[in-house]
mmCIF file of all heavy atoms in Angstrom:
data_model
loop_
_atom_site.group_PDB
_atom_site.id
_atom_site.type_symbol
_atom_site.label_atom_id
_atom_site.label_comp_id
_atom_site.label_asym_id
_atom_site.label_seq_id
_atom_site.Cartn_x
_atom_site.Cartn_y
_atom_site.Cartn_z
ATOM 1 N N HIS Y 19 2.462 9.132 20.494
ATOM 2 C CA HIS Y 19 2.296 9.155 21.953
ATOM 3 C C HIS Y 19 1.099 10.017 22.354
ATOM 4 O O HIS Y 19 0.278 9.611 23.187
ATOM 5 C CB HIS Y 19 3.569 9.654 22.625
ATOM 6 C CG HIS Y 19 3.459 9.737 24.107
ATOM 7 N ND1 HIS Y 19 3.426 8.619 24.908
ATOM 8 C CD2 HIS Y 19 3.349 10.806 24.933
ATOM 9 C CE1 HIS Y 19 3.294 8.996 26.169
ATOM 10 N NE2 HIS Y 19 3.256 10.317 26.203
ATOM 11 N N GLU Y 20 0.969 11.201 21.768
ATOM 12 C CA GLU Y 20 -0.151 12.086 22.096
ATOM 13 C C GLU Y 20 -1.487 11.461 21.703
ATOM 14 O O GLU Y 20 -2.468 11.554 22.455
ATOM 15 C CB GLU Y 20 0.013 13.434 21.391
ATOM 16 C CG GLU Y 20 1.113 14.302 21.949
ATOM 17 C CD GLU Y 20 1.319 15.564 21.130
ATOM 18 O OE1 GLU Y 20 0.550 15.805 20.168
ATOM 19 O OE2 GLU Y 20 2.260 16.308 21.446
ATOM 20 N N THR Y 21 -1.532 10.816 20.547
ATOM 21 C CA THR Y 21 -2.773 10.209 20.071
ATOM 22 C C THR Y 21 -3.182 9.032 20.937
ATOM 23 O O THR Y 21 -4.356 8.897 21.306
ATOM 24 C CB THR Y 21 -2.617 9.755 18.608
ATOM 25 O OG1 THR Y 21 -2.243 10.890 17.812
ATOM 26 C CG2 THR Y 21 -3.909 9.180 18.064
ATOM 27 N N THR Y 22 -2.224 8.170 21.278
ATOM 28 C CA THR Y 22 -2.566 7.017 22.115
ATOM 29 C C THR Y 22 -2.947 7.449 23.528
ATOM 30 O O THR Y 22 -3.801 6.832 24.156
ATOM 31 C CB THR Y 22 -1.413 5.996 22.171
ATOM 32 O OG1 THR Y 22 -0.214 6.651 22.602
ATOM 33 C CG2 THR Y 22 -1.182 5.358 20.822
ATOM 34 N N ALA Y 23 -2.360 8.517 24.032
ATOM 35 C CA ALA Y 23 -2.712 9.009 25.370
ATOM 36 C C ALA Y 23 -4.128 9.582 25.384
ATOM 37 O O ALA Y 23 -4.799 9.563 26.418
ATOM 38 C CB ALA Y 23 -1.712 10.062 25.821
ATOM 39 N N ALA Y 24 -4.603 10.082 24.232
ATOM 40 C CA ALA Y 24 -5.931 10.688 24.155
ATOM 41 C C ALA Y 24 -7.045 9.679 23.877
ATOM 42 O O ALA Y 24 -8.213 10.036 23.917
ATOM 43 C CB ALA Y 24 -5.939 11.765 23.070
ATOM 44 N N LEU Y 25 -6.680 8.423 23.616
ATOM 45 C CA LEU Y 25 -7.703 7.412 23.339
ATOM 46 C C LEU Y 25 -8.527 7.122 24.584
ATOM 47 O O LEU Y 25 -7.995 7.087 25.697
ATOM 48 C CB LEU Y 25 -7.046 6.109 22.858
ATOM 49 C CG LEU Y 25 -6.466 6.101 21.458
ATOM 50 C CD1 LEU Y 25 -5.726 4.791 21.205
ATOM 51 C CD2 LEU Y 25 -7.560 6.282 20.418
ATOM 52 N N PRO Y 26 -9.823 6.887 24.408
ATOM 53 C CA PRO Y 26 -10.634 6.532 25.570
ATOM 54 C C PRO Y 26 -10.276 5.131 26.059
ATOM 55 O O PRO Y 26 -9.790 4.298 25.298
ATOM 56 C CB PRO Y 26 -12.071 6.574 25.033
ATOM 57 C CG PRO Y 26 -11.938 6.394 23.567
ATOM 58 C CD PRO Y 26 -10.604 6.970 23.191
ATOM 59 N N SER Y 27 -10.538 4.864 27.330
ATOM 60 C CA SER Y 27 -10.229 3.550 27.873
ATOM 61 C C SER Y 27 -11.258 2.539 27.371
ATOM 62 O O SER Y 27 -12.353 2.906 26.957
ATOM 63 C CB SER Y 27 -10.225 3.592 29.395
ATOM 64 O OG SER Y 27 -11.510 3.976 29.848
ATOM 65 N N GLY Y 28 -10.870 1.289 27.399
ATOM 66 C CA GLY Y 28 -11.766 0.224 26.961
ATOM 67 C C GLY Y 28 -11.110 -0.643 25.915
ATOM 68 O O GLY Y 28 -9.960 -0.429 25.512
ATOM 69 N N SER Y 29 -11.848 -1.620 25.466
ATOM 70 C CA SER Y 29 -11.334 -2.573 24.493
ATOM 71 C C SER Y 29 -11.177 -1.931 23.112
ATOM 72 O O SER Y 29 -11.973 -1.083 22.708
ATOM 73 C CB SER Y 29 -12.282 -3.765 24.383
ATOM 74 O OG SER Y 29 -11.832 -4.661 23.399
ATOM 75 N N VAL Y 30 -10.153 -2.348 22.403
ATOM 76 C CA VAL Y 30 -9.958 -1.869 21.042
ATOM 77 C C VAL Y 30 -10.571 -2.826 20.018
ATOM 78 O O VAL Y 30 -10.616 -2.527 18.842
ATOM 79 C CB VAL Y 30 -8.456 -1.669 20.717
ATOM 80 C CG1 VAL Y 30 -7.864 -0.574 21.577
ATOM 81 C CG2 VAL Y 30 -7.686 -2.962 20.870
ATOM 82 N N LEU Y 31 -11.043 -3.970 20.509
ATOM 83 C CA LEU Y 31 -11.677 -4.953 19.629
ATOM 84 C C LEU Y 31 -13.189 -4.810 19.679
ATOM 85 O O LEU Y 31 -13.768 -4.647 20.751
ATOM 86 C CB LEU Y 31 -11.281 -6.372 20.042
ATOM 87 C CG LEU Y 31 -9.794 -6.698 19.975
ATOM 88 C CD1 LEU Y 31 -9.548 -8.101 20.500
ATOM 89 C CD2 LEU Y 31 -9.285 -6.571 18.558
ATOM 90 N N VAL Y 32 -13.797 -4.881 18.521
ATOM 91 C CA VAL Y 32 -15.247 -4.821 18.429
ATOM 92 C C VAL Y 32 -15.710 -6.066 17.700
ATOM 93 O O VAL Y 32 -15.253 -6.345 16.586
ATOM 94 C CB VAL Y 32 -15.699 -3.563 17.649
ATOM 95 C CG1 VAL Y 32 -17.205 -3.545 17.486
ATOM 96 C CG2 VAL Y 32 -15.225 -2.315 18.340
ATOM 97 N N PRO Y 33 -16.587 -6.856 18.308
ATOM 98 C CA PRO Y 33 -17.061 -8.054 17.619
ATOM 99 C C PRO Y 33 -17.864 -7.669 16.376
ATOM 100 O O PRO Y 33 -18.662 -6.732 16.405
ATOM 101 C CB PRO Y 33 -17.942 -8.760 18.647
ATOM 102 C CG PRO Y 33 -18.282 -7.727 19.655
ATOM 103 C CD PRO Y 33 -17.200 -6.705 19.618
ATOM 104 N N LEU Y 34 -17.629 -8.378 15.313
ATOM 105 C CA LEU Y 34 -18.296 -8.104 14.053
ATOM 106 C C LEU Y 34 -19.012 -9.365 13.610
ATOM 107 O O LEU Y 34 -18.381 -10.364 13.280
ATOM 108 C CB LEU Y 34 -17.275 -7.660 12.999
ATOM 109 C CG LEU Y 34 -17.805 -7.269 11.643
ATOM 110 C CD1 LEU Y 34 -18.751 -6.082 11.759
ATOM 111 C CD2 LEU Y 34 -16.656 -6.923 10.712
ATOM 112 N N GLU Y 35 -20.310 -9.329 13.632
ATOM 113 C CA GLU Y 35 -21.107 -10.489 13.227
ATOM 114 C C GLU Y 35 -21.392 -10.384 11.734
ATOM 115 O O GLU Y 35 -22.034 -9.438 11.284
ATOM 116 C CB GLU Y 35 -22.418 -10.533 14.010
ATOM 117 C CG GLU Y 35 -22.222 -10.689 15.493
ATOM 118 C CD GLU Y 35 -21.600 -12.026 15.872
ATOM 119 O OE1 GLU Y 35 -21.829 -13.021 15.157
ATOM 120 O OE2 GLU Y 35 -20.878 -12.068 16.872
ATOM 121 N N LEU Y 36 -20.903 -11.329 10.982
ATOM 122 C CA LEU Y 36 -21.110 -11.341 9.538
ATOM 123 C C LEU Y 36 -21.976 -12.533 9.166
ATOM 124 O O LEU Y 36 -21.498 -13.660 9.105
ATOM 125 C CB LEU Y 36 -19.763 -11.414 8.802
ATOM 126 C CG LEU Y 36 -18.830 -10.229 8.989
ATOM 127 C CD1 LEU Y 36 -17.499 -10.492 8.313
ATOM 128 C CD2 LEU Y 36 -19.444 -8.961 8.437
ATOM 129 N N PHE Y 37 -23.234 -12.281 8.937
ATOM 130 C CA PHE Y 37 -24.142 -13.321 8.487
ATOM 131 C C PHE Y 37 -24.690 -12.894 7.135
ATOM 132 O O PHE Y 37 -24.950 -11.723 6.906
ATOM 133 C CB PHE Y 37 -25.290 -13.525 9.474
ATOM 134 C CG PHE Y 37 -24.818 -14.044 10.802
ATOM 135 C CD1 PHE Y 37 -24.745 -13.214 11.894
ATOM 136 C CD2 PHE Y 37 -24.434 -15.366 10.938
ATOM 137 C CE1 PHE Y 37 -24.307 -13.683 13.120
ATOM 138 C CE2 PHE Y 37 -23.997 -15.847 12.163
ATOM 139 C CZ PHE Y 37 -23.937 -15.001 13.254
ATOM 140 N N GLY Y 38 -24.857 -13.843 6.248
ATOM 141 C CA GLY Y 38 -25.336 -13.512 4.920
ATOM 142 C C GLY Y 38 -24.204 -13.015 4.047
ATOM 143 O O GLY Y 38 -23.025 -13.194 4.334
#
Side-chain angles (χ1 to χ4, degrees):
H19 178 72
E20 289 174 4
T21 303
T22 55
L25 287 174
S27 61
S29 177
V30 295
L31 299 176
V32 177
L34 183 61
E35 298 295 330
L36 296 175
F37 295 104

